[in-house]
Amino acid sequence: MESRLVIYNTLTRQKERFEPLHAPNVGMYVCGPTVYGDPHLGHARPAITFDLVFRYLKHLGYKVRYVRNITDVGHLEHDADEGEDKIAKKARLEQLEPMEIAQYYTNRYHQAMDALNVLRPSIEPHATGHIIEQQQLVQQILDNGFAYESNGSVYFDIEAYNKKFKYGILSGRSLENIKDASRENLDGVGEKHNQADFALWKKAQPEHIMRWPSPWSDGFPGWHCECTAMGRKYLGEEFDIHGGGMDLVFPHHECEIAQAQASMGHPAVKYWMHNNMLTINGQKMGKSYNNFITLEQFFTGNHPLLEKAYSPMTIRFFVLSAHYRGTVDFSNEALVAAEKGLEKLMNAISDLDRIQVSDKCDAETEKVVKSLRQKCYDAMNDDLATPQVISNLFEACTVVNKLTDHKATICADCLKELSETMHLFAEDILGLQNRSQESGAKSQEREEAFGKVVDMVLELRAKAKADKDWATSDKIRDELAAAGFEVKDTKDGVTWKLNK
């Protein structure tokens, strides 16, 4: 299978043609959430970004195994080697079992992702379910001479590793810069040979709740181990794509690369993909910055920074309106613009069913329709350029509006092509849905009954007009307008739609 898809590889710092290791099979691993709090907008961006990758690769005909982990242990304060496990800390504060905390917030994460129409991954492994695999990884690195034991903990030996490989190839940092930064942040080497060395296994202090027996001590794995171990278990020693937020490039993904090389002697990942950050007033959104807005707060409008509630599809559209590698700064104005853009697109797709076909298309309509599909593919194949896809779909919306207003003509074949292309890219690939109505047969029955009532009212208006009862005719029109209905009298009859 030959792919025209080109993606930006963070490792090589350039766009590359996507050529899977074992086509048509594709293996993709994406770093998932640390489940100690409600999901926020910062969680939505990587989830939506790699949902887009997942959807598009499947559309291109690849068989994708998508692995996204749940971090439920080993993620310490400040993402470093010191401090208290975030989940254990939450459990202590709320007097609950750590797994109660992890399960509760995993459920909350799933609910939010379902609302955003993010497809579930093929496999969703938990760090606590793979302690043995992480211990095996640590032992391999020890056996190969790239780690050392110290007081019951095991640390990765960056200097030993750097003599054979190169630490810092993903982030572009030199070993000296990393060592200097480590000395500035933490005084005293302590039990490490070098302060830049990172933990593979940590001996648990007596008060530490989450702990497992190991050859070195009762303890817990370092944060970076889980993804290396689980990626290898489910995708093999080499796989195609590893994704996550740009904030994970260093240290997390840098450490993953080092662990894979140190344990196997070769890299594990061909393409590294990273989405950029969502910011508030230029600062990264996150729990550690105390400036985050949870997804539930967006959906309900219950936050001081929010002027109103925003639907899950508005949030999804907002994220996709920017290229995944560009920064997005939160504002109510940007969300209102996304809301209007989504409404414009969804209204046009709904209006496709009301378009009347003609014997032939006018030249402008035919030109737009016949180029639309390829323009959308070209945008997606150029490193998933969703803003350009949306721009192309908006061009199609203009055509739809002209057709419903009888200011343009379209033949049956072109209408079929227009409808299929808009549904394909807006719904199947971008994952946007019209959530204003219930899904399933019940929704369809209600919609049909609703339409019949409106048509009946318009028939009464038509009868009033025929009887020259202008007062009744105008009253029906005005009442419908007040209720949100837009009624248009055209040469071919009356059309109506409900404005949101």
Side-chain angles (χ1 to χ4, degrees):
M1 177 186 298
E2 183 179 353
S3 171
R4 296 179 58 198
L5 173 63
V6 171
I7 57 176
Y8 183 85
N9 189 348
T10 310
L11 185 64
T12 60
R13 295 168 181 74
Q14 64 184 10
K15 291 181 182 179
E16 298 178 3
R17 182 181 292 275
F18 179 66
E19 295 176 340
L21 293 164
H22 306 290
N25 299 297
V26 172
M28 180 169 75
Y29 189 99
V30 175
C31 293
T34 303
V35 284
Y36 69 101
D38 273 336
H40 55 72
L41 193 59
H43 293 116
R45 191 165 198 198
I48 291 170
T49 295
F50 292 100
D51 181 60
L52 175 78
V53 177
F54 186 32
R55 288 170 179 270
Y56 193 56
L57 289 175
K58 289 200 300 180
H59 170 70
L60 293 178
Y62 294 111
K63 294 177 63 178
V64 186
R65 178 177 288 177
Y66 175 17
V67 181
R68 186 186 67 206
N69 67 300
I70 295 289
T71 297
D72 52 2
V73 68
H75 199 155
L76 300 177
E77 292 288 1
H78 313 301
D79 298 340
D81 298 331
E82 307 301 330
E84 188 172 8
D85 185 293
K86 294 176 179 179
I87 293 167
K89 180 179 179 180
K90 188 86 170 179
R92 179 174 53 77
L93 291 173
E94 298 190 13
Q95 295 185 315
L96 296 170
E97 281 290 328
M99 285 299 103
E100 280 186 274
I101 296 293
Q103 187 64 58
Y104 175 78
Y105 287 113
T106 299
N107 293 345
R108 299 277 287 177
Y109 178 78
H110 285 154
Q111 289 163 6
M113 294 305 107
D114 289 346
L116 292 168
N117 198 27
V118 168
L119 301 175
R120 296 288 177 96
S122 314
I123 303 172
E124 192 174 56
H126 290 231
T128 54
H130 297 79
I131 300 297
I132 292 173
E133 288 84 355
Q134 293 177 75
Q135 290 181 353
Q136 289 171 339
L137 172 69
V138 174
Q139 189 62 58
Q140 285 177 325
I141 297 172
L142 274 167
D143 292 344
N144 290 341
F146 297 112
Y148 56 90
E149 184 182 348
S150 179
N151 297 328
S153 293
V154 180
Y155 294 98
F156 191 93
D157 191 333
I158 288 182
E159 285 201 334
Y161 174 83
N162 209 52
K163 289 175 182 176
K164 183 172 183 180
F165 304 105
K166 185 179 186 308
Y167 185 79
I169 58 172
L170 187 67
S171 62
R173 304 186 186 203
S174 70
L175 181 58
E176 287 308 312
N177 287 340
I178 294 166
K179 287 160 69 174
D180 289 344
S182 299
R183 280 193 287 269
E184 288 173 12
N185 292 333
L186 291 169
D187 294 329
V189 171
E191 60 188 26
K192 298 181 184 182
H193 292 176
N194 189 302
Q195 196 57 54
D197 295 346
F198 58 90
L200 298 173
W201 185 265
K202 284 289 288 183
K203 180 180 180 180
Q205 298 303 311
E207 67 275 8
H208 200 94
I209 309 172
M210 303 178 82
R211 56 204 297 148
W212 290 264
S214 81
W216 316 289
S217 65
D218 277 7
F220 52 92
W223 168 34
H224 312 301
C225 288
E226 61 177 293
C227 293
T228 304
M230 294 190 292
R232 184 166 66 182
K233 179 178 177 68
Y234 296 110
L235 298 174
E237 289 197 355
E238 294 180 279
F239 57 92
D240 300 295
I241 297 172
H242 195 315
M246 199 167 283
D247 57 328
L248 297 178
V249 170
F250 187 88
H252 185 46
H253 289 164
E254 196 74 78
C255 293
E256 278 197 64
I257 288 174
Q259 289 171 162
Q261 290 264 29
S263 61
M264 300 184 296
H266 59 79
V269 179
K270 186 174 183 182
Y271 303 98
W272 286 88
M273 295 183 70
H274 294 91
N275 63 275
N276 214 321
M277 297 296 98
L278 281 160
T279 58
I280 295 182
N281 298 322
Q283 186 181 46
K284 177 194 168 186
M285 179 183 293
K287 293 185 180 74
S288 56
Y289 296 97
N290 201 30
N291 68 348
F292 65 95
I293 305 174
T294 70
L295 290 170
E296 183 179 39
Q297 287 169 330
F298 274 104
F299 302 159
T300 62
N302 185 26
H303 191 281
L305 291 175
L306 297 174
E307 294 175 359
K308 55 180 285 189
Y310 298 97
S311 73
M313 284 302 100
T314 296
I315 300 300
R316 187 176 181 105
F317 189 88
F318 171 65
V319 170
L320 293 172
S321 294
H323 191 272
Y324 77 91
R325 289 194 290 115
T327 55
V328 177
D329 198 49
F330 157 80
S331 69
N332 281 280
E333 293 77 13
L335 284 170
V336 168
E339 188 175 58
K340 290 179 178 176
L342 175 66
E343 182 179 10
K344 175 182 177 179
L345 181 56
M346 292 295 105
N347 282 346
I349 290 174
S350 297
D351 286 345
L352 286 165
D353 294 333
R354 300 197 297 110
I355 293 173
Q356 296 178 353
V357 298
S358 301
D359 293 335
K360 63 178 183 178
C361 300
D362 65 83
E364 185 61 30
T365 298
E366 186 175 21
K367 178 183 175 183
V368 172
V369 171
K370 290 196 172 179
S371 64
L372 178 63
R373 187 182 294 254
Q374 190 57 53
K375 285 166 69 175
C376 288
Y377 274 126
D378 289 345
M380 285 298 297
N381 287 335
D382 184 14
D383 196 30
L384 310 166
T386 53
Q388 187 57 51
V389 175
I390 291 171
S391 176
N392 295 335
L393 292 173
F394 278 169
E395 188 178 3
C397 291
T398 301
V399 170
V400 171
N401 292 338
K402 287 182 179 178
L403 290 166
T404 55
D405 289 342
H406 302 284
K407 294 178 180 176
T409 58
I410 191 167
C411 67
D413 286 346
C414 282
L415 178 58
K416 182 173 182 287
E417 170 66 12
L418 178 62
S419 179
E420 287 179 354
T421 303
M422 291 187 75
H423 280 286
L424 169 64
F425 283 94
E427 297 175 348
D428 297 347
I429 293 174
L430 296 185
L432 300 167
Q433 291 181 327
N434 189 344
R435 291 283 180 88
S436 61
Q437 298 167 343
E438 297 172 84
S439 60
K442 185 176 180 182
S443 169
Q444 187 173 353
E445 289 171 7
R446 290 190 178 187
E447 186 177 347
E448 290 173 357
F450 181 74
K452 287 177 181 177
V453 171
V454 177
D455 289 339
M456 183 177 67
V457 172
L458 290 175
E459 284 176 15
L460 292 173
R461 178 173 176 263
K463 185 176 184 306
K465 288 180 71 175
D467 294 341
K468 300 188 185 313
D469 183 357
W470 309 118
T472 301
S473 171
D474 291 345
K475 187 174 189 304
I476 292 173
R477 182 198 61 208
D478 294 344
E479 290 289 340
L480 285 171
F485 292 91
E486 182 180 332
V487 177
K488 288 186 178 180
D489 293 301
T490 72
K491 62 181 181 180
D492 298 313
V494 181
T495 64
W496 64 270
K497 68 177 181 180
L498 178 61
N499 292 322
K500 295 175 186 175

